[in-house]
Amino acid sequence: MESRLEDRKREVRLVATRALIAALLVISALAAVIVRLVHLQIDQHEHFSVLSQDNRVKVQPLPPARGLIYDAAGVLLADNHPSFSLEITIEKVADLEETLADLARLIRIEPQDLARFERQKRRRMRFQPVPIRLNLTESELARFAVDAHRFVGVEVRAELIRTYPRGEQTAHVLGYVGRINEQELARIDRGNYAGTQFIGKSGVEKAHEALLHGQVGYQQVEVNARGRVIRTLESRPPVSGQDLYLYLDIALQQAAQEALGDERGAVVAIDPRNGGVLALVSNPSFDPNLFVEGISQANYQALLSSPDKPLYNRAVRGQYPPGSTIKPFVGLAGLASGITTERRTTFCPGHFSLPGHSHRFRCWKRGGHGAQNLEQGIVQSCDVYFYDLANRMGIDRLSAFLSDFGFGQVTGIDVAGELGGLMPTREWKRRTRNQPWYPGETLIVGIGQGSYLATPLQLAVATAAVANHGQVIQPRVVRAAQAPGDALARAQPLVSHRIALGEEWQWQRIVDAMAKVVEGGTARRIRTPEYRIAGKTGTSQVFSLGQNQTYNAARLPKHLHDHALFVAFAPVDDPRIAIAVIIEHGGGGGAAAAPVARRIMDAYLLGSTLAKEDEEGAGG
Amino acid sequence: MARTNHRALSELARDHGDRGPWYRLHLDAPLLLALLLLCAFGLVVLYGASDQDLATVERQLIRLGIASLFMIALAQVPPARLRVWSPVLYGVGVLMLIAVLLVGDVGKGAQRWLDLRVIRFQPSELLKLAVPMMLAWMLSARRLPPTLPWVVLATVLTLIPVILIAKQPDLGTSILVASAGVMVLFVAGLSWWMILALAVAALAVAPLVWFGLHDYQRDRVLTFLNPEMDPLGAGYHIIQSKIAIGSGGIDGKGWLNGTQSHLEFLPERSTDFIFAVIGEEFGFTGILVLLAIYLFIILRGLLIAARAEDRFGRLLAGSLTLVFFVYVFVNTGMVTGLLPVVGVPLPLISYGGTSMVTLMAGFGIIMAVQTHRIRPL
């Protein structure tokens, strides 16, 4: 009895002790949890707050809308239109095969879409969406929207795609935009281009990239675990790029292109008063819209392999021997330097030889022009007169003077990709060929042949300088830029310099001579009673003839025919347009190139193209 | 002598045992109050964790009601009667576990459910009560502490259902059932060297258990050791839950303002990981309040066990209280990254029905131990 009671007591004590120990264990275990919580919630609170913030807040760039481009009359030349594409974030998709099959039941997916998808899929970064379809139609968009919830990781993306409503007409002057490539990525400010897909690749689009692009905006959004945007927390809107207003007149541009017809060639027309580019055409052209979203391999190959080289911008990159078109400039150099006078004559027997040499430099007129003064030399384009003048002037003075007109250097036009041509000098020859300069070469330069190369743009600028009596103005395509919200368009500053040599009366003599070229000289066929034109024809050799050969176009293949050139400005007394035309393998400048220039000047000065369009409109 | 003494004591109990209306209802007021507080807190948290879905809160409330009925019902049963039924309950439970393995329904990739046409339930839940009852029944027949043969027998009787449950597979429940057995032995005063021996034996079979685990279970353990190993896969749960708790700080982000939970970064946020929601929205302060309520309940349960009249009551009340503690510790430990991820809910807070019924039934038994005493305290 006693022991049972003792046992009971001992047992009660035992269990009570165990309960006490258990309580202590419980308290220490919960203390361990609390220590852990102190660590997480107090010590590392900031660290986890940042992680939590990173989880839910994503910063999205808001790309600015690219500036639009208008011609002189306010016609829209470069527009942005919304385009919807369907993108897949592969990391978010459970079964890609199944998703693609499902999508194909909703919207059309062509084999080339799949091919592009596969190609881009391999190059993408993690969690970077890959487009499966571009340019969704309205009905496809609607169909996908209804079923969108079934497609986790598939999203519609809206973006603004550049379009060029005038296509081929503006391809060489405006250029085009395209997807940013790796070299460009290394060059641009990545922050400002976050979210931007396109960048100017050529032409005005490239030259004015900074104005057209604008400032990127940002928005902070709250997203859930599946990446869906719940709400916008904060946003800084983007600033759209500036709209550009051009000097370019699309009607004139069209007239120039039509005037060139099927011929390969280029036209550059500028306003000599301000350097504004009125028309800049390289023929044939191409559709710049093909390049915006990435041109297909087949289309690109076709453009590259065409013998007409439609991608080649002849107006600013084509380098041709300027031929006789430079004779007025050389003539001015002669007058200004006192090497010749108005009255001094040179006898042209049809050829010219340097003293002590038997080699005959031929005049284009085999029978010779007889006695020629400066004006006659220009009007008749007598080669012998200019052989003699160049010979007496020497290469150093000749090339220095011609360089003053802008030859041998880029004009600085706001069209990307311009080339500078070549103004040969003694130094240039030593440097590139390690040879001395031969006097015979000076003669060739004097008539714009040999290694002397100029672009149609340079010829137009030099012609405008004559029209301005010595004022050389940098050509500009863009007249003004307008920032969004700004009331006033800011004019582009003029960049110009005066040619050092040449007095006013000397310039006037040269202008008079060029007027006579049209009135009764090599370009008389384009004479018009409506206004006075000052011009100069040129024919540049592609094929060198031997000493005793004659040039016979009928017997030569077309690609060896001479290039036809013509430079002009009008009206003579109040020049409003200066123009350079080149027709590759077009033959004589007077016959092939001058009429093209006349049509353009008519269109500009008389508005005949516009009048004709109005008539057609009324008739239809 | 003993008889008269006993009757005198009984009379005394009737005379002086009237300790208020709660006692007559066989409910323990402090325990009941703490449980109600806990459940109310749980419903408030659940409202936020379920994205303010009142239907979810309503369903949880109904379950709570059913569970409370079980608690009140079991509180009315004198422990002595419960003791008689212990072996039967254990036997039925084990048989049903075998039945589940043979014909059970598959839910979430594991066979846990038995469809009895009227109700579907998990027999493994029953074992959370049946195992401690069975062991308490067995050990209370003899003097404490138990001798070696009985300890071995108790171990075997625990391991049979534990292995059957682990095969379903349900690691969380099998751990809880195993701990129920261990807790009975502990409260029974199992000598320290035997506790040591059991621990060594457990360590020895650990490698066997490791190879018996399913791949996903092994993943969980590996993930626990290094959650950053696979941040988007198996480690995702624990990383996100640590972010939720840590970003809560001292005061929390405020009720319904937890970004980790409402933006769905936190998985299983209304069930196993609801503790992280509390940490995020109510901060360190909120968690301390919660842990204080838990601690009060556990200490009250241990007090009831220590003061219980008979061995069966002592062992059962003690082990059931400590199993409740195991729930709390394993869940909070797993959510805070102290322990590997095992499917153990936060008791009476996590959304879900079955464990709630078992838990409340357990508290009913504890209350019965407290209120069916013959002698007064």
Side-chain angles (χ1 to χ4, degrees), chain A residues 11 18 36 45 55 225-226, chain B residues 190 240 246 260 263 311 336:
Chain A
E11 229 182 272
R18 281 300 158 102
R36 175 70 172 171
H45 170 60
N55 259 349
R226 287 189 296 270
Chain B
L190 186 66
Q240 293 301 337
Q260 282 290 105
L263 298 173
R311 281 186 201 134
T336 54

Side-chain angles (χ1 to χ4, degrees), chain A residues 1 7-8 10-12 14-16 18-27 29-30 32-34 36-38 40-42 44-46 48-53 55-56 58 126-127 222-226 230, chain B residues 143-145 186-190 192 195 232 236 240 242-243 245-250 253 259-260 263-265 279 283-284 287-288 291 295 298-299 302 306 309 311 314 322 325 328-329 332 336-338 375:
Chain A
M1 185 70 225
D7 279 354
R8 236 186 78 80
R10 203 179 331 121
E11 229 182 272
V12 170
L14 177 68
V15 173
R18 281 300 158 102
L20 189 64
I21 293 170
L24 291 175
L25 285 176
V26 166
I27 289 168
L30 292 182
V33 171
I34 288 169
R36 175 70 172 171
L37 287 165
V38 167
L40 291 178
Q41 298 195 290
I42 297 169
Q44 289 198 294
H45 170 60
E46 232 154 89
F48 285 117
S49 287
V50 170
L51 289 182
S52 151
Q53 204 66 1
N55 259 349
R56 79 182 180 103
K58 296 275 175 281
R126 262 172 78 80
F127 285 98
E222 186 174 82
V223 296
N224 70 8
R226 287 189 296 270
I230 305 297
Chain B
R143 238 198 286 163
L144 297 180
F186 178 78
V187 177
L190 186 66
W192 293 106
I195 291 175
L232 292 173
Y236 184 79
Q240 293 301 337
K242 276 160 72 179
I243 292 175
I245 294 171
S247 64
I250 293 176
K253 294 176 185 170
T259 55
Q260 282 290 105
L263 298 173
E264 299 163 39
F265 291 102
F284 185 62
I287 286 184
L288 280 187
L291 292 182
L295 185 63
I298 293 162
L299 292 182
L302 288 175
E309 255 183 353
R311 281 186 201 134
R314 276 192 283 271
L322 289 174
F325 158 72
V328 175
F329 183 66
T332 56
T336 54
L338 281 176
R375 294 184 297 270

Side-chain angles (χ1 to χ4, degrees), chain A residues 41, chain B residues 41-42 44-51 240-248 251-262 265-284 286-287 290 331 335 346 349:
Chain A
Q41 298 195 290
Chain B
F41 187 53
V44 168
V45 173
L46 183 65
Y47 179 67
S50 65
D51 285 332
Q240 293 301 337
S241 116
K242 276 160 72 179
I243 292 175
I245 294 171
S247 64
D251 299 325
K253 294 176 185 170
W255 187 44
L256 307 181
N257 285 334
T259 55
Q260 282 290 105
S261 51
H262 296 299
F265 291 102
L266 187 65
E268 312 271 341
R269 58 195 180 282
S270 58
T271 54
D272 288 357
F273 279 81
I274 200 163
F275 186 69
V277 177
I278 301 170
E280 186 181 25
E281 296 195 342
F282 300 95
F284 185 62
I287 286 184
L290 176 76
N331 181 272
V335 174
L346 188 63
I349 304 266

Side-chain angles (χ1 to χ4, degrees), chain A residues 266-288:
Chain A
V267 170
V268 176
I270 59 183
D271 185 334
R273 293 167 299 180
N274 52 28
V277 173
L278 304 170
L280 191 144
V281 172
S282 175
N283 215 38
S285 188
F286 61 95
D287 182 1

